[in-house]
Amino acid sequence: MQNLTTKSYFYTNLLQENIRIKDKLVPKQIHAQVIKSGLHLGVFLMNNLINVYWKSSFITDAHKLFDEMPIKNTSSWNSLISAYTKEGFIDIALELFNQMPARDSVSWTTMIVGYNQIGRFGSALRMFMEMIKSQVMPTEYNVTNILAGCASLHALDIGRKVHSLAVKLGLASYVSVANSLLNMYAKSGDEERAKIVFDRIKLKSMSTFNTMISLHMEYGRFDCALEQFEQMDERDIVSWNSMVSGYYQRGLDVQALDIFRKMIIHSLLKPDRYTLASVLSACANLEVLKLGKEMHAYIIRTGFSTSEAVGNALISMYSKCGGVEIARRILEQNGTSKLNVISFTALLDGYTKLGDIDPARQIFDLLTDPDVVAWTAMLVGYVQNGFSTNAMELFRLMIQKGPKPNNYTLAAMLSVCSSLASLNHGKQIHAVALKSKEASSISVGNSLISMYAKAGNINYARSVFHLIQRKKDAVSWTSMILALAQHGLGEEAIQLFENMLALDMIPDHITYVGVLSACTHVGLVEQGRSYYKTMKDVHEIEPSSSHYACMIDLFGRAGLLDEAKEFIEMMPIEPDVIAWGSLLSSCRVHKNTDMAKVAAERLLSIEPENSGAYSSLANVYSACGKWEEAAKIRKTMKNRQVKKEQGLSWLQIKNSVHVFGVEDGLHPQRVMIFHMMDKIWDEIKKLGFTPDTESVLHDLDLEVKEQILKRHSEKLAIAFGLINTPEYSTLRVMKNLRVCNDCHTAIKFISKLVRREIIVRDATRFHHFKDGSCSCRDYW
């Protein structure tokens, strides 16, 4: 008997030694010897053999041995359950657990730990509850594990109950339990209770302090974090990192670098990858290239790996600090597989600052399986640099091969459609948003309002606004107010603004630009004055140049030119080009040459090459019949080589944009277009149209003037649209300058003649022509 016991201990020692040396052949050899020796009935030895089998990656053999054991005890079951939980096979472990004839605290703990290890914290909590119901006394280890689960789930209510149980069982005073409670309260957001637990811990470890420092940082209590940090007798790298990353993550980059300097001077600890990543990121935010280079030199000297976090931080730092080519070399060394979105975006921004976005696209194309954030960053890069066509092409590729676009992607693409005033593309992206269920997103909804408004479809903009009725924010209201103002629906815009105020929504400076523009477009001078006063006195918004321009335009359009000039002179800021330009434009409408001359001179003193100032002044003289003065201005323009901006009109048919200038003879369908315009011209004359030859601001014969009027760019665009679009469909024409009086009158007659709605967007607003009238009521 003694001989068998000796052999049993001998084999057990061999098995334990094999756990260290990891020879996969040994467990089976010992198993064979154990059977030969008749020791296979010994439960202790068999339990050790089960343990060694699974640690040698023979979990199937371990289970087979367990099944063959004639005698099993609780440890036998626990050994196999532990094997399966540690290998991640929690469902098999649970099946064995449920078959156990008797369970001890180890059995329950094994399952709880197993669930926690694979992130199934809810199942771990339920297992703990079952353990309590089974009247198995929890241990210190049980409580710390279950508190870790509560912390991960932010399950504060359950955590408090576990705390009460720990107090009742006398476990709350254990350092490990106290630290787990502190961690649970900190991660669950109960700062007050965390502070109470912290104060009650008599033997505070570094981990205890680190938890409180992180908590204070999370809630922005930087003084408290620093106070606790300075109270520590000893600090580890986590302590320093908590301070450095805490400051950096909350935008206090200078403080983050200051703490790092103290670490280097006063501590023997070496920075790890977390320290380096945080410090490099702080350097990037502050654009401190010198320190960033010093950190890079340190990394090279110490042989620190530049893969993943540190490499990405280096790429971001160099990209933001103007060293984008160095960042590119680091990327080439590390490969694109580890490049994160933040670093890619930094690289993208770096190349954007250089005015070259192609290298960023090359990097993007090298990314393996880029996520939606990377796609969106690339798209936004194109959008911000004015490469709308590239953005559209990439978006189409994303729909075909990439991840599903999110609300940020769609909002960015809708801004492209807004800038292009492309209704067709906008509708397609709206369809994508509906399909991906992102159309209800507030950012997408707001972008849709702007897109439809800028593309000339105010009814669709209204529909989107009403669809986000319950979700809309101040941006939604502002977008709709601006849209209505731009379309000349001033009264509706003002009513919407009043509705917004009634709902206690707070308007911002952009909202007031919208409501003041609305007053301007419909000539509500007194109401505009009232809103301007409310903006300053009630909402305490300091007027910007945009608000001043709105007020100058409001007075000027209404013919109150003296008041407009007086307003400019009373402005607390130096009047800019827009202010004097607004006054000059109003002088042209109201044919005030004296004030136009003053406004033009002031405008040209700010911007000597402004062709609009020369043209507007010449046009004012021409409109008043002062041909010699007009000729002098045009001669001055020629001598100073100031080129007049060409008037252009364009419209989109299917996916093609067709652009027209005055007397445009380049379009492939020019013969048909001119013929159509001649025919329309004769027909609208029969309806009572009289050409406004005063709109030709040159001293020419009436017949020549009429011929010039007939070939204005917007008229040619409309003629082309009538030829190439279905009968009775809406025409949408865009123009870069203000619509002249003759075109405005002519288009009213054309809309009546062809029985179509014609929407024209000029430099200042939309005109909706229908049945012989315009939405602007001839006030523009």
Side-chain angles (χ1 to χ4, degrees):
M1 183 71 181
Q2 189 176 359
N3 189 38
L4 289 176
T5 303
T6 303
K7 281 188 176 182
S8 179
Y9 279 121
F10 172 72
Y11 288 129
T12 300
N13 290 333
L14 281 179
L15 289 169
Q16 294 301 317
E17 177 64 17
N18 192 66
I19 291 173
R20 187 181 64 80
I21 62 174
K22 296 179 181 176
D23 188 332
K24 291 194 173 186
L25 296 175
V26 170
K28 291 193 176 184
Q29 291 171 350
I30 294 175
H31 191 181
Q33 290 298 320
V34 165
I35 293 171
K36 281 182 184 178
S37 304
L39 297 172
H40 58 284
L41 298 178
V43 178
F44 178 74
L45 182 56
M46 292 299 99
N47 288 348
N48 273 277
L49 194 50
I50 288 170
N51 190 40
V52 174
Y53 264 135
W54 82 260
K55 286 184 178 176
S56 303
S57 302
F58 296 124
I59 196 165
T60 306
D61 292 289
H63 201 147
K64 185 179 178 184
L65 172 60
F66 174 82
D67 289 339
E68 291 172 353
M69 286 173 63
I71 303 170
K72 303 180 186 76
N73 61 11
T74 304
S75 293
S76 312
W77 290 87
N78 289 343
S79 295
L80 191 61
I81 290 169
S82 178
Y84 277 117
T85 57
K86 286 175 182 175
E87 291 295 318
F89 300 115
I90 195 71
D91 293 331
I92 300 174
L94 180 61
E95 188 179 340
L96 286 165
F97 178 81
N98 290 333
Q99 293 171 12
M100 285 184 76
R103 305 179 188 110
D104 59 9
S105 64
V106 176
S107 316
W108 292 95
T109 303
T110 302
M111 289 303 299
I112 291 166
V113 171
Y115 278 124
N116 271 348
Q117 284 174 340
I118 61 170
R120 288 172 61 177
F121 304 115
S123 298
L125 286 172
R126 286 190 290 275
M127 185 64 70
F128 181 75
M129 297 300 183
E130 287 295 321
M131 175 182 170
I132 301 299
K133 285 180 187 176
S134 300
Q135 297 184 335
V136 175
M137 190 68 68
T139 63
E140 170 192 354
Y141 191 55
N142 289 136
V143 173
T144 55
N145 264 277
I146 211 62
L147 286 170
C150 292
S152 299
L153 290 173
H154 305 298
L156 187 58
D157 289 341
I158 297 173
R160 284 172 178 159
K161 290 174 183 175
V162 175
H163 188 178
S164 298
L165 179 65
V167 171
K168 195 180 292 182
L169 297 174
L171 298 173
S173 59
Y174 283 55
V175 173
S176 61
V177 173
N179 283 334
S180 295
L181 282 166
L182 177 61
N183 181 58
M184 184 274 295
Y185 283 122
K187 289 187 176 176
S188 300
D190 191 338
E191 190 183 11
E192 186 179 342
R193 193 65 63 91
K195 182 73 168 58
I196 293 169
V197 172
F198 176 81
D199 291 339
R200 286 178 180 172
I201 297 174
K202 292 178 182 178
L203 297 172
K204 295 179 176 70
S205 64
M206 280 191 289
S207 173
T208 312
F209 277 103
N210 292 342
T211 301
M212 282 307 292
I213 290 167
S214 296
L215 179 62
H216 288 313
M217 281 293 186
E218 186 177 346
Y219 284 90
R221 305 189 198 285
F222 307 113
D223 292 342
C224 295
L226 185 59
E227 183 184 345
Q228 304 249 272
F229 180 76
E230 289 175 345
Q231 286 175 7
M232 296 178 74
D233 296 324
E234 189 180 353
R235 305 179 184 106
D236 60 7
I237 193 63
V238 176
S239 316
W240 289 99
N241 285 348
S242 295
M243 293 298 297
V244 174
S245 65
Y247 279 129
Y248 148 67
Q249 288 171 1
R250 279 143 197 90
L252 300 172
D253 299 296
V254 173
Q255 290 88 333
L257 295 180
D258 185 52
I259 285 287
F260 174 69
R261 288 189 188 96
K262 289 177 180 176
M263 173 184 167
I264 297 300
I265 295 167
H266 300 298
S267 170
L268 296 174
L269 293 167
K270 292 182 178 179
D272 64 7
R273 65 181 186 275
Y274 301 109
T275 326
L276 294 171
S278 294
V279 171
L280 286 167
S281 297
C283 291
N285 291 341
L286 295 170
E287 297 186 15
V288 187
L289 183 59
K290 185 175 182 292
L291 180 57
K293 283 184 172 180
E294 289 173 7
M295 295 304 302
H296 192 185
Y298 171 83
I299 290 164
I300 293 169
R301 278 199 317 273
T302 56
F304 213 96
S305 172
T306 57
S307 62
E308 298 194 32
V310 175
N312 277 297
L314 275 169
I315 291 167
S316 294
M317 184 275 294
Y318 277 117
S319 298
K320 289 182 179 180
C321 295
V324 70
E325 286 308 316
I326 302 174
R328 178 69 181 261
R329 288 199 293 273
I330 296 168
L331 175 64
E332 287 168 355
Q333 290 168 7
N334 292 346
T336 56
S337 61
K338 302 296 183 184
L339 183 69
N340 66 21
V341 173
I342 295 170
S343 302
F344 169 68
T345 305
L347 264 172
L348 185 64
D349 290 340
Y351 280 114
T352 297
K353 286 174 184 174
L354 296 175
D356 186 4
I357 204 168
D358 289 340
R361 177 59 190 269
Q362 291 167 14
I363 294 164
F364 175 80
D365 289 338
L366 290 172
L367 294 175
T368 53
D369 194 27
D371 64 8
V372 67
V373 181
W375 280 88
T376 304
M378 190 68 238
L379 285 166
V380 169
Y382 277 135
V383 173
Q384 290 176 343
N385 285 275
F387 298 112
S388 299
T389 303
N390 302 69
M392 280 293 184
E393 288 172 358
L394 185 63
F395 182 70
R396 289 190 192 100
L397 187 66
M398 183 182 186
I399 296 299
Q400 292 168 10
K401 299 180 179 179
K404 187 172 74 171
N406 63 17
N407 57 328
Y408 298 106
T409 322
L410 295 167
M413 292 314 300
L414 286 166
S415 73
V416 173
C417 300
S418 294
S419 64
L420 296 174
S422 175
L423 185 60
N424 290 343
H425 285 130
K427 282 183 175 179
Q428 289 168 16
I429 293 169
H430 191 178
V432 172
L434 288 167
K435 190 175 180 180
S436 62
K437 298 182 180 178
E438 291 287 357
S440 59
S441 157
I442 194 70
S443 59
V444 173
N446 293 343
S447 298
L448 281 167
I449 291 169
S450 295
M451 182 277 296
Y452 279 125
K454 288 178 181 177
N457 199 323
I458 192 66
N459 290 330
Y460 274 30
R462 274 198 202 95
S463 298
V464 173
F465 180 75
H466 291 310
L467 281 173
I468 57 172
Q469 185 81 23
R470 294 179 183 175
K471 294 183 180 179
K472 54 182 175 272
D473 57 8
V475 177
S476 315
W477 289 89
T478 299
S479 300
M480 197 64 220
I481 290 166
L482 284 166
L484 292 167
Q486 198 177 23
H487 284 263
L489 300 167
E491 291 90 347
E492 189 178 342
I494 290 166
Q495 184 57 57
L496 198 65
F497 179 69
E498 292 294 341
N499 294 345
M500 178 183 178
L501 295 180
L503 292 170
D504 293 327
M505 299 289 288
I506 306 297
D508 62 12
H509 66 287
I510 300 173
T511 318
Y512 269 104
V513 169
V515 77
L516 291 174
S517 297
C519 294
T520 298
H521 286 309
V522 290
L524 296 172
V525 177
E526 291 309 315
Q527 208 152 352
R529 278 199 188 100
S530 174
Y531 283 133
Y532 182 75
K533 189 173 186 300
T534 302
M535 177 185 77
K536 292 195 300 179
D537 298 344
V538 177
H539 291 116
E540 298 179 345
I541 295 172
E542 195 65 31
S544 67
S545 57
S546 298
H547 301 115
Y548 294 133
C550 285
M551 294 304 292
I552 296 162
D553 206 18
L554 175 70
F555 297 137
R557 285 178 192 242
L560 304 172
L561 298 178
D562 290 330
E563 190 167 349
K565 186 171 179 291
E566 185 181 337
F567 185 89
I568 291 176
E569 291 167 348
M570 294 290 288
M571 283 164 53
I573 63 172
E574 192 67 29
D576 59 10
V577 172
I578 297 171
W580 290 114
S582 291
L583 181 60
L584 181 56
S585 179
S586 298
C587 291
R588 176 183 168 184
V589 173
H590 296 286
K591 300 181 181 179
N592 187 322
T593 54
D594 293 336
M595 195 173 292
K597 188 177 179 182
V598 172
E601 286 173 352
R602 296 297 295 273
L603 198 160
L604 289 170
S605 69
I606 302 169
E607 199 173 277
E609 302 302 314
N610 190 301
S611 62
Y614 290 103
S615 296
S616 293
L617 184 57
N619 291 343
V620 174
Y621 284 133
S622 297
C624 296
K626 297 184 179 183
W627 304 110
E628 289 184 13
E629 286 88 341
K632 286 178 184 176
I633 296 296
R634 293 192 175 100
K635 187 178 180 182
T636 303
M637 281 183 74
K638 189 176 181 180
N639 293 339
R640 294 180 181 176
Q641 296 183 328
V642 177
K643 291 185 178 180
K644 179 185 175 184
E645 184 181 4
Q646 184 185 1
L648 298 172
S649 297
W650 62 94
L651 75 168
Q652 182 176 349
I653 294 180
K654 294 183 179 177
N655 289 322
S656 298
V657 176
H658 300 262
V659 183
F660 299 88
V662 177
E663 290 283 353
D664 200 317
L666 299 176
H667 197 279
Q669 290 181 268
R670 59 189 174 277
V671 175
M672 293 175 65
I673 293 167
F674 289 159
H675 177 72
M676 172 63 82
M677 197 60 244
D678 289 339
K679 182 181 175 183
I680 289 171
W681 195 257
D682 293 337
E683 292 296 325
I684 60 176
K685 274 185 170 183
K686 291 175 186 177
L687 293 175
F689 167 68
T690 302
D692 180 9
T693 52
E694 288 188 7
S695 292
V696 180
L697 301 172
H698 295 273
D699 190 11
L700 302 168
D701 292 338
L702 290 178
E703 189 176 332
V704 177
K705 285 187 174 185
E706 189 171 326
Q707 190 63 25
I708 291 171
L709 290 172
K710 200 189 298 185
R711 298 291 187 261
H712 273 194
S713 65
E714 53 266 62
K715 293 190 183 94
L716 297 180
I718 289 168
F720 171 78
L722 292 172
I723 294 167
N724 293 281
T725 57
E727 196 174 1
Y728 307 126
S729 62
T730 300
L731 287 182
R732 289 181 171 83
V733 176
M734 308 294 163
K735 183 173 172 64
N736 64 329
L737 301 177
R738 185 179 185 271
V739 175
C740 74
N741 289 333
D742 181 76
C743 284
H744 193 269
T745 305
I747 299 170
K748 286 196 292 184
F749 278 95
I750 294 170
S751 70
K752 186 175 183 180
L753 174 70
V754 299
R755 287 184 286 176
R756 293 207 202 189
E757 182 179 8
I758 302 172
I759 300 171
V760 178
R761 189 191 77 181
D762 70 4
T764 58
R765 66 180 297 162
F766 279 90
H767 299 264
H768 293 252
F769 298 94
K770 191 173 183 180
D771 298 328
S773 62
C774 179
S775 59
C776 75
R777 303 171 195 169
D778 299 336
Y779 187 90
W780 84 100

